[in-house]
Amino acid sequence: MKEVTIYTDGACSYNPGPGGWGAILIYNGKEKRISGGELNTTNNKMELIAVINGLSCLKEQCKVQVYSDSAYVVNAYLQKWVDNWKSNGWKKQNKVVKNVELWKQLDDLVNFHKVQFIKVKGHSDNEYNNQCDKMARAEVDKILGGNQ
């Protein structure tokens, strides 16, 4: 089984507002960089979409390490929030989980691949995470027309 490392980050100017995401996939020493953005979104959505798009690039089942500075995404798996939401019909305290369609999409990908989530400290010494942050912010700048 191929082993892939994915670094991701999301950004949002205002919240909600224009947002961007970036991901770097690494396999056998080769890197693939992807990014995108949305006009009206939230930071949490961009964090989710970064991971979803990174995993969606994989053409076959892989063993994947996903590095993210998003406690929202990482803790959902490390602390088994997703398992609880699923067993409760994707509800949390009798309310549908926010971003439920994105969570379902991510969970399908996580269940297809063998994914390990690793929390990194944002804006610190992790170069790949910093590069993903720059990519995400560049997408926000594109949406804002470079006026940020």
Side-chain angles (χ1 to χ4, degrees):
M1 184 177 289
K2 293 179 180 175
E3 294 187 14
V4 179
T5 302
I6 302 176
Y7 290 84
T8 67
D9 201 13
C12 200
S13 182
Y14 312 107
N15 203 19
W21 59 269
I24 301 171
L25 292 82
I26 304 168
Y27 172 69
N28 265 358
K30 295 182 181 178
E31 296 179 13
K32 178 176 183 169
R33 294 168 185 253
I34 58 172
S35 62
E38 294 183 13
L39 182 59
N40 188 25
T41 189
T42 65
N43 190 70
N44 283 343
K45 284 183 181 178
M46 293 293 92
E47 297 283 4
L48 281 166
I49 289 171
V51 179
I52 289 167
N53 286 325
L55 290 170
S56 294
C57 286
L58 304 176
K59 307 252 189 276
E60 62 189 71
Q61 189 178 36
C62 297
K63 183 176 178 184
V64 186
Q65 289 186 319
V66 174
Y67 289 83
S68 172
D69 64 7
S70 172
Y72 179 65
V73 173
V74 173
N75 288 345
Y77 283 94
L78 293 184
Q79 296 183 16
K80 309 288 185 202
W81 299 347
V82 171
D83 292 343
N84 292 334
W85 297 338
K86 287 193 309 189
S87 67
N88 290 324
W90 288 99
K91 291 185 180 177
K92 176 181 168 184
Q93 300 170 339
N94 292 324
K95 294 180 188 172
V96 174
V97 172
K98 287 184 182 180
N99 304 313
V100 67
E101 293 308 316
L102 293 174
W103 281 114
K104 287 179 179 180
Q105 193 176 351
L106 177 57
D107 199 51
D108 286 345
L109 290 162
V110 166
N111 287 321
F112 178 72
H113 300 289
K114 292 188 177 208
V115 179
Q116 175 188 12
F117 285 93
I118 301 161
K119 174 84 169 68
V120 297
K121 186 174 181 179
H123 312 285
S124 64
D125 61 351
N126 188 302
E127 188 55 38
Y128 282 111
N129 181 256
N130 291 336
Q131 290 176 32
C132 288
D133 180 64
K134 287 178 186 171
M135 293 163 56
R137 294 193 181 285
E139 293 292 339
V140 173
D141 285 346
K142 274 192 226 174
I143 292 168
L144 293 173
N147 296 325
Q148 188 177 5

